[in-house]
Amino acid sequence: MSHSKPLLIPWLRTQIDSKRYPGVQWTNLEQTEFSIPWKHALRQDSSDMDILIFKAWAEGSGNGRVHGDPSVWKRNFRSALRAKGFKLVSDNKNDPANPHKVFRWPDEPTSGANSSAGSQDQDDADLFEDYGFPIQESQVVPCFDHYLQAADSPAGQDILQECLKELNIGPEPEGTAGFEPPPEQQQLQNPVVIGGHALPEQQQYPVMSEGAVGEAGLPEQPAHPMEGAVGGACDGQLVEQFLHTITKTSDRDNFKTQFRITVYYRGVKVSEQLVQNEDGIRLVYRPDLIGPVVDHESGLTLVSLPSPGAMLDQTQANLTQRILDKLDGLDVGVSGHVVYGLRRGGETKAFWSFSKFDRNKQPQEISKLQPQPLYQFKDFVRGILDFIDGRDCPPCSLFFCLGEKWPDPDNRPWEKKLIMVEVVLTSMEVLKDMAVGGGASSLQSVELQMSLEEMMEMY
């Protein structure tokens, strides 16, 4: 049986008069203006009651593509209003107590072809609003005209679903990650102790300095003198070399490493650099940075992410640019024997894991309240002992995803993420390469295992 799609204008008048939907009501005696609840889904007080009118229109209009997606219901309802000539009178979607919009009834029937010239720009702004982008209408990116028209194509759906749906930009909902969020731009008031060492207080905007980064004297990638050799003196030589290298990597006070940073935009490598600073790095978006620059307060080297302007796919470029513009900074540093992470405020959230192929569906968000331990050197040493026992070798990289959840709750691959950054801890990489190259059997030494166990007790 065919489904008869209702006419919006009489349908909507009937819904308002019915008073079935909380907040959907006339706002003047002439019944020419009405209000619609317009609450963002990320608000802590959002509920199913806020979307009833959008859902009702989705069901009534019989659009089979909208099952289960309230953001699409809202967008289709808004588009239907605009197509029929309804005018937005008052936008109060950010009202803390009663987020809503007020629309004016059209004077006469209006076809979609006669929509106002600015309707497409408003569509663009509304699209960003649906996904948490706090923007002004004047900031709408013109290229979204083509993007929205192509949204039903496979490529358009890919960009829409993969690049927008899980973007984590915008005001944070209260209670995120189990804590109350600090005031905007909150700074750390007291030194934070992590790994037995107090971290220096850090300012919101780093002071530029041309401080030279000293050579750390860290272990270099060894040659492969033992390649192909089995047992005997070569095994002893590998154990001796491994012990020497791990001793250079860590002492009683600090874990020592350099950092190799590789940046991927939607799976494509766009930059790679080595930072020879044992304190760590701060990922920022500062196109003005030239050469190594160290922040005075934290001692971290500032690493600016590349501009996405040269991308052929302008939709991807514009979305990536929005993430970068709202990134205040992401610290990845070393304190004692702990590698920590800290998000420096801003509206772009950051997530991490040990693998770009992580499939556990549990996003791990980086805190902006205080430094968060990510990796302890003793865990790496324990991983080497496990490797000697025949299990997998421990990781030596950290993977950070900016603006989107990671690991992905829907198992979307890392290549679909707009911004993914790999940070390799080079000292661990050297040790891992030695272990894998020599093989677990070559490390089966009582002397080595006792030394590693003593290290673990030390930390």
Side-chain angles (χ1 to χ4, degrees), residues 257-261 273-275 277 280-281 334 423-425:
T257 190
Q258 298 171 0
F259 303 83
R260 189 171 68 252
I261 303 99
Q273 68 181 95
L274 178 68
V275 174
N277 181 353
I281 62 169
V334 174
V423 177
V424 178
L425 309 169

Side-chain angles (χ1 to χ4, degrees), residues 67-112:
H67 293 305
D69 193 338
S71 66
V72 177
W73 298 340
K74 181 191 291 186
R75 188 160 60 251
N76 286 350
F77 179 82
R78 182 179 51 224
S79 297
L81 291 180
R82 189 172 296 121
K84 292 302 180 182
F86 290 83
K87 302 297 183 183
L88 179 64
V89 177
S90 177
D91 186 350
N92 303 291
K93 64 178 178 290
N94 294 322
D95 188 310
N98 179 29
H100 67 281
K101 291 186 178 183
V102 177
F103 294 89
R104 179 178 295 121
W105 209 263
D107 295 331
E108 58 185 36
T110 306
S111 68

Side-chain angles (χ1 to χ4, degrees), residues 126-144:
D126 290 338
L127 178 63
F128 281 110
E129 171 199 316
D130 289 340
Y131 292 100
F133 290 106
I135 64 171
Q136 302 296 323
E137 291 186 14
S138 61
Q139 296 175 308
V140 173
V141 182
C143 79
F144 265 73

Side-chain angles (χ1 to χ4, degrees), residues 4 49 69 100 146 163 177 180 200 221 223 265 339 365 415 420 445:
S4 178
M49 301 296 289
D69 193 338
H100 67 281
H146 170 74
C163 297
E180 290 294 325
Q221 177 65 47
Y265 287 168
V339 179
E365 185 177 348
E415 295 94 342
M420 183 75 82
S445 160

Side-chain angles (χ1 to χ4, degrees), residues 120-275:
Q120 184 60 66
D121 286 344
Q122 185 59 45
D123 274 334
D124 294 346
D126 290 338
L127 178 63
F128 281 110
E129 171 199 316
D130 289 340
Y131 292 100
F133 290 106
I135 64 171
Q136 302 296 323
E137 291 186 14
S138 61
Q139 296 175 308
V140 173
V141 182
C143 79
F144 265 73
D145 178 49
H146 170 74
Y147 163 61
L148 291 172
Q149 293 173 5
D152 287 332
S153 68
Q157 286 292 337
D158 178 55
I159 293 291
L160 177 63
Q161 297 301 322
E162 306 293 354
C163 297
L164 284 177
K165 187 173 182 180
E166 294 299 332
L167 284 178
N168 279 267
I169 299 181
E172 295 188 49
E174 293 184 4
T176 297
F179 52 74
E180 290 294 325
E184 190 62 23
Q185 308 298 339
Q186 175 177 334
Q187 299 183 29
L188 298 175
Q189 300 299 320
N190 301 304
V192 176
V193 176
I194 182 171
H197 292 253
L199 295 177
E201 294 188 29
Q202 302 176 35
Q203 58 191 23
Q204 183 65 34
Y205 299 102
V207 175
M208 304 291 290
S209 69
E210 293 291 340
V213 181
E215 294 291 337
L218 297 175
E220 299 179 355
Q221 177 65 47
H224 300 281
M226 287 76 70
E227 186 173 353
V230 179
C234 286
D235 282 356
Q237 183 181 350
L238 175 60
V239 169
E240 181 179 349
Q241 186 176 6
F242 193 90
L243 275 173
H244 174 72
T245 304
I246 204 169
T247 300
K248 292 181 65 176
T249 298
S250 178
D251 56 30
R252 288 184 175 271
D253 296 321
N254 295 286
F255 162 62
K256 301 178 181 179
T257 190
Q258 298 171 0
F259 303 83
R260 189 171 68 252
I261 303 99
T262 307
V263 182
Y264 300 89
Y265 287 168
R266 206 155 162 80
V268 177
K269 183 196 293 189
V270 293
S271 73
E272 183 175 25
Q273 68 181 95
L274 178 68
V275 174

